[in-house]
Amino acid sequence: MNRITRIAVGATGAAALLTTPVPAFAAATGTATAAATVTTCKYALQAGLATYACADVTGSSIVIYGKIGLAGPPDGPVSWQTLYTNLSAEVVGGNSLGSVNGSTAFHSTTVQVNGFTATAPCGSTVRATFSVQGSGPYGTRPVVEVPVAC
């Protein structure tokens, strides 16, 4: 097939795609959709590691969790560490939503530290903090603030 024939076949195929109705889009426009989940994470260095405080907001429900990973490529072999974690959240200017303390085994792949699910008033802001203590320097805790827009 020469070049001009390929262009003509491609153009015909594109025209057919543009004129074909898409039932999925038509059906979606008439139905109500569920509230979208908005994920927000903030980064900081702690104990020589990359740490993240994260919040998934869906309506007035918030899932709080943390992540721990390597801050960069290791200089040599990575040994297992036991990291002590604290994950907490509060409504800014209001009540605590909860706190979770624990220990996490960490080697070299990113680990998610499960936190908790809470409900906050619509229109409020939630602040989550994740602290990690290990064999390295303490560092700055990541703090994430998310709006609760129901």
Side-chain angles (χ1 to χ4, degrees), residues 6-86:
R6 279 187 284 193
I7 293 171
V9 169
T12 303
L17 287 174
L18 292 173
T19 58
T20 304
V22 181
F25 289 134
T29 58
T31 60
T33 58
T37 299
V38 177
T39 299
T40 307
C41 293
K42 292 294 179 171
Y43 163 86
L45 287 174
Q46 295 183 81
L49 299 167
T51 59
Y52 300 84
C54 299
D56 293 347
V57 180
T58 307
S60 63
S61 178
I62 302 118
V63 177
I64 306 294
Y65 58 97
K67 293 183 190 177
I68 305 167
L70 292 175
D75 293 336
V78 178
S79 62
W80 284 93
Q81 296 183 53
T82 298
L83 303 171
Y84 300 97
T85 60
N86 176 274

Side-chain angles (χ1 to χ4, degrees), residues 87-107:
L87 189 58
S88 62
E90 64 185 8
V91 174
V92 174
N95 296 329
S96 169
L97 296 175
S99 179
V100 176
N101 296 308
S103 63
T104 300
F106 178 78
H107 185 248

